[in-house]
Short mmCIF file of all heavy atoms in Angstrom, two decimals:
data_model
loop_
_atom_site.label_atom_id
_atom_site.label_comp_id
_atom_site.label_asym_id
_atom_site.label_seq_id
_atom_site.Cartn_x
_atom_site.Cartn_y
_atom_site.Cartn_z
N MET A 606 3.49 12.80 3.16
CA MET A 606 3.84 11.51 3.75
C MET A 606 4.12 10.49 2.66
O MET A 606 3.42 10.45 1.66
CB MET A 606 2.70 11.03 4.63
CG MET A 606 2.81 11.60 6.03
SD MET A 606 1.45 11.00 7.04
CE MET A 606 0.12 11.95 6.36
N LYS A 607 5.12 9.70 2.91
CA LYS A 607 5.57 8.74 1.89
C LYS A 607 5.14 7.33 2.31
O LYS A 607 5.27 6.94 3.46
CB LYS A 607 7.09 8.84 1.81
CG LYS A 607 7.73 8.05 0.72
CD LYS A 607 9.20 8.44 0.63
CE LYS A 607 9.94 7.62 -0.40
NZ LYS A 607 10.21 6.26 -0.01
N ILE A 608 4.64 6.59 1.35
CA ILE A 608 4.21 5.20 1.59
C ILE A 608 5.41 4.28 1.38
O ILE A 608 6.13 4.42 0.38
CB ILE A 608 3.07 4.83 0.64
CG1 ILE A 608 1.89 5.78 0.85
CG2 ILE A 608 2.64 3.38 0.85
CD1 ILE A 608 0.90 5.80 -0.30
N THR A 609 5.62 3.37 2.29
CA THR A 609 6.75 2.45 2.15
C THR A 609 6.22 1.01 2.05
O THR A 609 5.18 0.67 2.60
CB THR A 609 7.69 2.54 3.36
OG1 THR A 609 6.98 2.19 4.55
CG2 THR A 609 8.26 3.95 3.51
N VAL A 610 6.96 0.19 1.32
CA VAL A 610 6.62 -1.23 1.16
C VAL A 610 7.86 -2.05 1.47
O VAL A 610 8.92 -1.80 0.89
CB VAL A 610 6.18 -1.56 -0.28
CG1 VAL A 610 5.76 -3.03 -0.37
CG2 VAL A 610 5.07 -0.65 -0.75
N ASP A 611 7.71 -3.00 2.34
CA ASP A 611 8.78 -3.97 2.57
C ASP A 611 8.55 -5.13 1.60
O ASP A 611 7.66 -5.96 1.81
CB ASP A 611 8.76 -4.44 4.02
CG ASP A 611 9.92 -5.38 4.33
OD1 ASP A 611 10.46 -6.00 3.38
OD2 ASP A 611 10.27 -5.51 5.52
N ARG A 612 9.32 -5.13 0.54
CA ARG A 612 9.12 -6.14 -0.52
C ARG A 612 9.40 -7.56 -0.03
O ARG A 612 8.95 -8.53 -0.64
CB ARG A 612 10.03 -5.84 -1.71
CG ARG A 612 9.79 -4.47 -2.33
CD ARG A 612 8.66 -4.52 -3.33
NE ARG A 612 8.25 -3.16 -3.74
CZ ARG A 612 7.16 -2.91 -4.43
NH1 ARG A 612 6.38 -3.90 -4.80
NH2 ARG A 612 6.83 -1.68 -4.76
N ASN A 613 10.16 -7.67 1.02
CA ASN A 613 10.44 -9.02 1.56
C ASN A 613 9.23 -9.59 2.29
O ASN A 613 9.13 -10.80 2.47
CB ASN A 613 11.63 -8.97 2.51
CG ASN A 613 12.91 -8.62 1.78
OD1 ASN A 613 13.13 -9.10 0.66
ND2 ASN A 613 13.72 -7.78 2.38
N LYS A 614 8.33 -8.70 2.71
CA LYS A 614 7.14 -9.16 3.45
C LYS A 614 5.91 -9.29 2.57
O LYS A 614 5.03 -10.10 2.84
CB LYS A 614 6.83 -8.18 4.59
CG LYS A 614 7.81 -8.24 5.75
CD LYS A 614 7.33 -7.31 6.84
CE LYS A 614 8.24 -7.32 8.05
NZ LYS A 614 7.82 -6.28 9.01
N CYS A 615 5.82 -8.47 1.53
CA CYS A 615 4.61 -8.44 0.70
C CYS A 615 4.44 -9.76 -0.04
O CYS A 615 5.36 -10.25 -0.69
CB CYS A 615 4.71 -7.30 -0.30
SG CYS A 615 3.32 -7.26 -1.46
N THR A 616 3.23 -10.31 0.05
CA THR A 616 2.95 -11.57 -0.65
C THR A 616 2.02 -11.36 -1.84
O THR A 616 1.60 -12.33 -2.47
CB THR A 616 2.31 -12.58 0.32
OG1 THR A 616 1.17 -11.96 0.92
CG2 THR A 616 3.28 -12.98 1.41
N GLY A 617 1.67 -10.09 -2.14
CA GLY A 617 0.92 -9.78 -3.36
C GLY A 617 -0.54 -10.20 -3.33
O GLY A 617 -1.15 -10.37 -4.38
N LEU A 618 -1.12 -10.32 -2.16
CA LEU A 618 -2.51 -10.75 -2.08
C LEU A 618 -3.49 -9.66 -2.48
O LEU A 618 -4.62 -9.94 -2.86
CB LEU A 618 -2.85 -11.24 -0.68
CG LEU A 618 -2.22 -12.59 -0.32
CD1 LEU A 618 -2.46 -12.92 1.14
CD2 LEU A 618 -2.78 -13.68 -1.21
N GLY A 619 -3.07 -8.41 -2.39
CA GLY A 619 -3.88 -7.33 -2.93
C GLY A 619 -4.96 -6.79 -2.01
O GLY A 619 -5.86 -6.10 -2.48
N ILE A 620 -4.88 -7.07 -0.74
CA ILE A 620 -5.86 -6.49 0.18
C ILE A 620 -5.72 -4.97 0.18
O ILE A 620 -6.72 -4.24 0.19
CB ILE A 620 -5.67 -7.07 1.59
CG1 ILE A 620 -6.03 -8.56 1.54
CG2 ILE A 620 -6.51 -6.33 2.63
CD1 ILE A 620 -5.53 -9.36 2.69
N CYS A 621 -4.51 -4.49 0.11
CA CYS A 621 -4.29 -3.04 0.05
C CYS A 621 -4.96 -2.44 -1.18
O CYS A 621 -5.54 -1.37 -1.12
CB CYS A 621 -2.80 -2.72 0.06
SG CYS A 621 -1.85 -3.60 -1.20
N GLU A 622 -4.88 -3.16 -2.30
CA GLU A 622 -5.51 -2.66 -3.54
C GLU A 622 -7.02 -2.53 -3.35
O GLU A 622 -7.63 -1.57 -3.80
CB GLU A 622 -5.19 -3.60 -4.69
CG GLU A 622 -5.80 -3.17 -6.00
CD GLU A 622 -5.51 -4.14 -7.13
OE1 GLU A 622 -5.32 -5.33 -6.87
OE2 GLU A 622 -5.46 -3.69 -8.29
N SER A 623 -7.63 -3.50 -2.68
CA SER A 623 -9.08 -3.43 -2.52
C SER A 623 -9.47 -2.29 -1.58
O SER A 623 -10.55 -1.73 -1.71
CB SER A 623 -9.64 -4.77 -2.05
OG SER A 623 -9.17 -5.08 -0.78
N LEU A 624 -8.60 -1.92 -0.65
CA LEU A 624 -8.92 -0.86 0.31
C LEU A 624 -8.55 0.53 -0.21
O LEU A 624 -9.19 1.51 0.16
CB LEU A 624 -8.20 -1.13 1.64
CG LEU A 624 -8.72 -2.35 2.40
CD1 LEU A 624 -7.80 -2.70 3.56
CD2 LEU A 624 -10.13 -2.12 2.91
N ALA A 625 -7.53 0.63 -1.02
CA ALA A 625 -7.08 1.94 -1.52
C ALA A 625 -6.60 1.79 -2.96
O ALA A 625 -5.40 1.88 -3.26
CB ALA A 625 -5.96 2.49 -0.62
N PRO A 626 -7.56 1.61 -3.90
CA PRO A 626 -7.17 1.33 -5.28
C PRO A 626 -6.50 2.50 -6.00
O PRO A 626 -5.88 2.30 -7.04
CB PRO A 626 -8.50 0.96 -5.96
CG PRO A 626 -9.56 1.52 -5.07
CD PRO A 626 -9.01 1.53 -3.68
N GLU A 627 -6.62 3.72 -5.44
CA GLU A 627 -5.92 4.85 -6.07
C GLU A 627 -4.42 4.79 -5.85
O GLU A 627 -3.65 5.48 -6.51
CB GLU A 627 -6.43 6.20 -5.52
CG GLU A 627 -7.84 6.55 -5.91
CD GLU A 627 -8.85 6.09 -4.88
OE1 GLU A 627 -8.50 5.24 -4.04
OE2 GLU A 627 -10.00 6.59 -4.92
N VAL A 628 -4.02 3.99 -4.88
CA VAL A 628 -2.61 4.00 -4.47
C VAL A 628 -1.92 2.67 -4.77
O VAL A 628 -0.75 2.66 -5.18
CB VAL A 628 -2.51 4.32 -2.96
CG1 VAL A 628 -1.07 4.21 -2.47
CG2 VAL A 628 -3.08 5.71 -2.68
N PHE A 629 -2.63 1.56 -4.57
CA PHE A 629 -2.00 0.25 -4.67
C PHE A 629 -2.59 -0.54 -5.83
O PHE A 629 -3.80 -0.53 -6.05
CB PHE A 629 -2.23 -0.55 -3.38
CG PHE A 629 -1.75 0.15 -2.14
CD1 PHE A 629 -2.65 0.78 -1.28
CD2 PHE A 629 -0.41 0.17 -1.81
CE1 PHE A 629 -2.21 1.43 -0.13
CE2 PHE A 629 0.05 0.82 -0.66
CZ PHE A 629 -0.86 1.44 0.18
N GLU A 630 -1.72 -1.25 -6.53
CA GLU A 630 -2.20 -2.12 -7.61
C GLU A 630 -1.30 -3.36 -7.62
O GLU A 630 -0.08 -3.25 -7.54
CB GLU A 630 -2.09 -1.38 -8.94
CG GLU A 630 -2.63 -2.16 -10.12
CD GLU A 630 -2.56 -1.33 -11.40
OE1 GLU A 630 -3.33 -0.36 -11.52
OE2 GLU A 630 -1.69 -1.62 -12.23
N VAL A 631 -1.93 -4.52 -7.71
CA VAL A 631 -1.14 -5.75 -7.87
C VAL A 631 -1.19 -6.11 -9.36
O VAL A 631 -2.26 -6.25 -9.93
CB VAL A 631 -1.69 -6.89 -7.01
CG1 VAL A 631 -0.91 -8.17 -7.25
CG2 VAL A 631 -1.62 -6.50 -5.53
N ASN A 632 -0.03 -6.18 -9.98
CA ASN A 632 -0.02 -6.41 -11.43
C ASN A 632 -0.19 -7.89 -11.76
O ASN A 632 -0.32 -8.73 -10.87
CB ASN A 632 1.25 -5.80 -12.06
CG ASN A 632 2.52 -6.52 -11.64
OD1 ASN A 632 2.47 -7.64 -11.13
ND2 ASN A 632 3.65 -5.89 -11.86
N SER A 633 -0.23 -8.18 -13.05
CA SER A 633 -0.54 -9.55 -13.48
C SER A 633 0.54 -10.54 -13.04
O SER A 633 0.29 -11.74 -12.99
CB SER A 633 -0.73 -9.59 -14.99
OG SER A 633 0.41 -9.06 -15.62
N ALA A 634 1.71 -10.04 -12.70
CA ALA A 634 2.77 -10.92 -12.21
C ALA A 634 2.67 -11.13 -10.70
O ALA A 634 3.47 -11.87 -10.11
CB ALA A 634 4.14 -10.33 -12.56
N GLY A 635 1.69 -10.47 -10.07
CA GLY A 635 1.51 -10.62 -8.63
C GLY A 635 2.40 -9.71 -7.81
O GLY A 635 2.55 -9.90 -6.61
N ASP A 636 2.97 -8.70 -8.48
CA ASP A 636 3.82 -7.75 -7.75
C ASP A 636 3.03 -6.49 -7.41
O ASP A 636 2.26 -5.99 -8.24
CB ASP A 636 5.03 -7.34 -8.60
CG ASP A 636 5.95 -8.51 -8.89
OD1 ASP A 636 6.13 -9.35 -7.98
OD2 ASP A 636 6.47 -8.59 -10.02
N LEU A 637 3.25 -6.00 -6.22
CA LEU A 637 2.59 -4.76 -5.81
C LEU A 637 3.25 -3.58 -6.49
O LEU A 637 4.48 -3.43 -6.46
CB LEU A 637 2.69 -4.61 -4.29
CG LEU A 637 2.12 -3.30 -3.75
CD1 LEU A 637 0.63 -3.20 -4.02
CD2 LEU A 637 2.40 -3.16 -2.28
N VAL A 638 2.42 -2.73 -7.11
CA VAL A 638 2.89 -1.50 -7.72
C VAL A 638 2.29 -0.34 -6.93
O VAL A 638 1.08 -0.32 -6.69
CB VAL A 638 2.41 -1.42 -9.20
CG1 VAL A 638 2.87 -0.11 -9.83
CG2 VAL A 638 2.91 -2.62 -9.98
N LEU A 639 3.14 0.59 -6.52
CA LEU A 639 2.63 1.82 -5.90
C LEU A 639 2.33 2.79 -7.03
O LEU A 639 3.22 3.16 -7.79
CB LEU A 639 3.69 2.43 -4.99
CG LEU A 639 3.93 1.80 -3.63
CD1 LEU A 639 4.94 2.65 -2.86
CD2 LEU A 639 2.66 1.65 -2.83
N LEU A 640 1.06 3.20 -7.16
CA LEU A 640 0.69 4.13 -8.22
C LEU A 640 1.21 5.52 -7.89
O LEU A 640 1.37 6.36 -8.78
CB LEU A 640 -0.83 4.13 -8.40
CG LEU A 640 -1.42 2.74 -8.74
CD1 LEU A 640 -2.93 2.81 -8.81
CD2 LEU A 640 -0.84 2.20 -10.04
N THR A 641 1.45 5.77 -6.62
CA THR A 641 2.11 6.99 -6.16
C THR A 641 2.81 6.64 -4.86
O THR A 641 2.34 5.75 -4.15
CB THR A 641 1.10 8.12 -5.92
OG1 THR A 641 1.75 9.21 -5.26
CG2 THR A 641 -0.06 7.68 -5.04
N ASP A 642 3.93 7.27 -4.56
CA ASP A 642 4.53 6.94 -3.25
C ASP A 642 4.21 8.00 -2.20
O ASP A 642 4.61 7.87 -1.05
CB ASP A 642 6.02 6.60 -3.34
CG ASP A 642 6.87 7.76 -3.78
OD1 ASP A 642 6.30 8.86 -3.99
OD2 ASP A 642 8.08 7.57 -3.90
N ALA A 643 3.47 9.03 -2.61
CA ALA A 643 2.99 10.02 -1.64
C ALA A 643 1.49 9.83 -1.48
O ALA A 643 0.80 9.49 -2.44
CB ALA A 643 3.29 11.43 -2.13
N VAL A 644 0.98 10.05 -0.29
CA VAL A 644 -0.45 9.89 -0.05
C VAL A 644 -1.21 11.00 -0.78
O VAL A 644 -0.98 12.18 -0.52
CB VAL A 644 -0.76 9.94 1.46
CG1 VAL A 644 -2.26 9.81 1.70
CG2 VAL A 644 0.01 8.86 2.20
N PRO A 645 -2.10 10.65 -1.73
CA PRO A 645 -2.85 11.70 -2.44
C PRO A 645 -3.79 12.43 -1.48
O PRO A 645 -4.23 11.87 -0.48
CB PRO A 645 -3.66 10.91 -3.48
CG PRO A 645 -3.05 9.56 -3.54
CD PRO A 645 -2.43 9.30 -2.21
N ASP A 646 -4.13 13.67 -1.85
CA ASP A 646 -5.07 14.45 -1.03
C ASP A 646 -6.36 13.66 -0.84
O ASP A 646 -6.91 13.12 -1.79
CB ASP A 646 -5.41 15.78 -1.73
CG ASP A 646 -4.26 16.76 -1.65
OD1 ASP A 646 -3.33 16.51 -0.87
OD2 ASP A 646 -4.31 17.77 -2.38
N GLY A 647 -6.82 13.59 0.38
CA GLY A 647 -8.10 12.94 0.66
C GLY A 647 -8.03 11.43 0.79
O GLY A 647 -9.05 10.78 1.01
N CYS A 648 -6.85 10.86 0.64
CA CYS A 648 -6.73 9.39 0.66
C CYS A 648 -6.08 8.85 1.92
O CYS A 648 -5.83 7.64 2.02
CB CYS A 648 -5.92 8.91 -0.54
SG CYS A 648 -6.86 8.94 -2.08
N LEU A 649 -5.80 9.71 2.89
CA LEU A 649 -5.05 9.24 4.05
C LEU A 649 -5.80 8.14 4.81
O LEU A 649 -5.21 7.13 5.20
CB LEU A 649 -4.72 10.40 4.99
CG LEU A 649 -3.92 10.04 6.23
CD1 LEU A 649 -2.59 9.39 5.85
CD2 LEU A 649 -3.67 11.26 7.11
N ALA A 650 -7.12 8.30 4.99
CA ALA A 650 -7.86 7.30 5.76
C ALA A 650 -7.82 5.94 5.05
O ALA A 650 -7.62 4.90 5.69
CB ALA A 650 -9.31 7.75 5.96
N GLN A 651 -7.97 5.96 3.73
CA GLN A 651 -7.92 4.71 2.95
C GLN A 651 -6.54 4.07 3.05
O GLN A 651 -6.42 2.86 3.19
CB GLN A 651 -8.16 5.01 1.47
CG GLN A 651 -9.60 5.15 1.07
CD GLN A 651 -9.70 5.35 -0.44
OE1 GLN A 651 -8.89 6.06 -1.03
NE2 GLN A 651 -10.68 4.74 -1.04
N VAL A 652 -5.52 4.88 2.96
CA VAL A 652 -4.16 4.34 3.02
C VAL A 652 -3.90 3.76 4.41
O VAL A 652 -3.30 2.68 4.54
CB VAL A 652 -3.13 5.44 2.67
CG1 VAL A 652 -1.71 4.98 2.98
CG2 VAL A 652 -3.26 5.82 1.20
N GLU A 653 -4.37 4.45 5.44
CA GLU A 653 -4.18 3.92 6.79
C GLU A 653 -4.93 2.60 6.97
O GLU A 653 -4.44 1.68 7.63
CB GLU A 653 -4.61 4.95 7.83
CG GLU A 653 -3.58 6.07 7.93
CD GLU A 653 -3.91 7.14 8.96
OE1 GLU A 653 -5.10 7.34 9.26
OE2 GLU A 653 -2.95 7.77 9.46
N GLU A 654 -6.11 2.49 6.37
CA GLU A 654 -6.85 1.22 6.43
C GLU A 654 -6.08 0.11 5.72
O GLU A 654 -6.02 -1.03 6.18
CB GLU A 654 -8.22 1.36 5.75
CG GLU A 654 -9.32 1.81 6.65
CD GLU A 654 -10.66 1.82 5.91
OE1 GLU A 654 -10.99 0.84 5.24
OE2 GLU A 654 -11.35 2.85 6.02
N ALA A 655 -5.49 0.45 4.60
CA ALA A 655 -4.71 -0.55 3.84
C ALA A 655 -3.50 -0.99 4.65
O ALA A 655 -3.16 -2.19 4.67
CB ALA A 655 -4.28 0.04 2.50
N ILE A 656 -2.85 -0.05 5.30
CA ILE A 656 -1.68 -0.40 6.12
C ILE A 656 -2.11 -1.33 7.26
O ILE A 656 -1.47 -2.35 7.52
CB ILE A 656 -1.01 0.88 6.67
CG1 ILE A 656 -0.36 1.64 5.52
CG2 ILE A 656 0.00 0.53 7.76
CD1 ILE A 656 0.12 3.03 5.90
N ALA A 657 -3.23 -0.98 7.89
CA ALA A 657 -3.72 -1.82 9.00
C ALA A 657 -4.20 -3.18 8.50
O ALA A 657 -4.11 -4.18 9.21
CB ALA A 657 -4.84 -1.09 9.74
N GLY A 658 -4.72 -3.20 7.25
CA GLY A 658 -5.31 -4.43 6.73
C GLY A 658 -4.31 -5.39 6.11
O GLY A 658 -4.64 -6.54 5.83
N CYS A 659 -3.10 -4.93 5.88
CA CYS A 659 -2.10 -5.80 5.25
C CYS A 659 -1.74 -6.94 6.21
O CYS A 659 -1.24 -6.69 7.30
CB CYS A 659 -0.85 -5.01 4.88
SG CYS A 659 0.47 -6.07 4.29
N PRO A 660 -1.97 -8.19 5.80
CA PRO A 660 -1.76 -9.30 6.73
C PRO A 660 -0.29 -9.56 7.07
O PRO A 660 0.00 -10.20 8.06
CB PRO A 660 -2.37 -10.50 5.99
CG PRO A 660 -2.38 -10.11 4.56
CD PRO A 660 -2.53 -8.61 4.52
N THR A 661 0.60 -9.04 6.24
CA THR A 661 2.03 -9.30 6.51
C THR A 661 2.75 -8.07 7.07
O THR A 661 3.97 -8.08 7.21
CB THR A 661 2.74 -9.77 5.22
OG1 THR A 661 2.70 -8.70 4.26
CG2 THR A 661 2.09 -11.01 4.64
N GLU A 662 1.98 -7.01 7.33
CA GLU A 662 2.55 -5.77 7.87
C GLU A 662 3.68 -5.24 6.99
O GLU A 662 4.71 -4.80 7.49
CB GLU A 662 3.00 -5.96 9.33
CG GLU A 662 1.83 -6.36 10.22
CD GLU A 662 2.20 -6.48 11.69
OE1 GLU A 662 3.39 -6.48 12.00
OE2 GLU A 662 1.26 -6.55 12.49
N ALA A 663 3.45 -5.31 5.69
CA ALA A 663 4.48 -4.88 4.74
C ALA A 663 4.45 -3.37 4.47
O ALA A 663 5.41 -2.84 3.92
CB ALA A 663 4.31 -5.62 3.42
N LEU A 664 3.37 -2.71 4.85
CA LEU A 664 3.19 -1.31 4.50
C LEU A 664 3.46 -0.39 5.67
O LEU A 664 3.24 -0.75 6.83
CB LEU A 664 1.76 -1.06 4.00
CG LEU A 664 1.35 -1.83 2.75
CD1 LEU A 664 -0.12 -1.61 2.46
CD2 LEU A 664 2.20 -1.45 1.56
N GLY A 665 3.94 0.81 5.34
CA GLY A 665 4.18 1.80 6.39
C GLY A 665 4.06 3.20 5.81
O GLY A 665 3.93 3.39 4.61
N LEU A 666 4.13 4.18 6.69
CA LEU A 666 4.11 5.59 6.29
C LEU A 666 5.30 6.26 6.93
O LEU A 666 5.56 6.08 8.12
CB LEU A 666 2.85 6.27 6.82
CG LEU A 666 1.59 6.29 5.99
CD1 LEU A 666 0.54 7.13 6.72
CD2 LEU A 666 1.84 6.82 4.60
N GLU A 667 6.03 7.03 6.13
CA GLU A 667 7.10 7.87 6.67
C GLU A 667 6.59 9.28 6.76
O GLU A 667 6.16 9.84 5.75
CB GLU A 667 8.32 7.85 5.74
CG GLU A 667 9.27 6.70 6.00
CD GLU A 667 10.39 6.67 4.98
OE1 GLU A 667 10.61 7.67 4.28
OE2 GLU A 667 11.03 5.62 4.89
N ARG A 668 6.60 9.83 7.94
CA ARG A 668 6.05 11.18 8.10
C ARG A 668 7.14 12.23 8.02
O ARG A 668 8.28 11.94 8.21
CB ARG A 668 5.32 11.28 9.43
CG ARG A 668 4.04 10.48 9.38
CD ARG A 668 3.39 10.32 10.75
NE ARG A 668 2.44 9.22 10.74
CZ ARG A 668 1.14 9.35 10.51
NH1 ARG A 668 0.64 10.52 10.31
NH2 ARG A 668 0.34 8.30 10.51
S1 SF4 B 862 -1.95 -6.20 1.45
FE1 SF4 B 862 0.20 -6.31 2.08
S2 SF4 B 862 0.88 -8.31 1.40
FE2 SF4 B 862 -0.99 -7.84 0.30
S3 SF4 B 862 -0.32 -6.86 -1.63
FE3 SF4 B 862 -0.71 -5.24 -0.16
S4 SF4 B 862 1.30 -4.86 0.79
FE4 SF4 B 862 1.42 -6.83 -0.21
#
């Protein structure tokens, strides 16, 4: 499964990073960096929490 980010919606607050730090990182410029665009083994629940927790609904999963 591939993680998608709508860059027009992301505001760089980093809630996703706090919920799934193996996958999401907000850099010093405030831009979201995907550390991987595929869901790592064992991380699906965390990624789903991050998607649900994103206040701007910028995240998604392509199955
Ligand atoms: S939680 Fe949403 S708005 Fe915040 S950095 Fe992550 S993708 Fe962007």
Side-chain angles (χ1 to χ4, degrees):
M606 275 180 286
K607 187 171 177 285
I608 301 162
T609 61
V610 183
D611 184 337
R612 300 275 169 191
N613 294 320
K614 288 185 179 173
C615 176
T616 54
L618 288 173
I620 294 163
C621 53
E622 179 182 28
S623 65
L624 292 169
E627 291 93 343
V628 175
F629 303 102
E630 183 177 289
V631 177
N632 68 16
S633 55
D636 295 322
L637 176 63
V638 178
L639 284 185
L640 302 176
T641 170
D642 65 1
V644 179
D646 286 348
C648 284
L649 181 59
Q651 278 184 321
V652 170
E653 286 181 334
E654 271 184 48
I656 291 170
C659 173
T661 64
E662 300 184 347
L664 299 174
L666 270 184
E667 273 175 16
R668 289 169 199 266

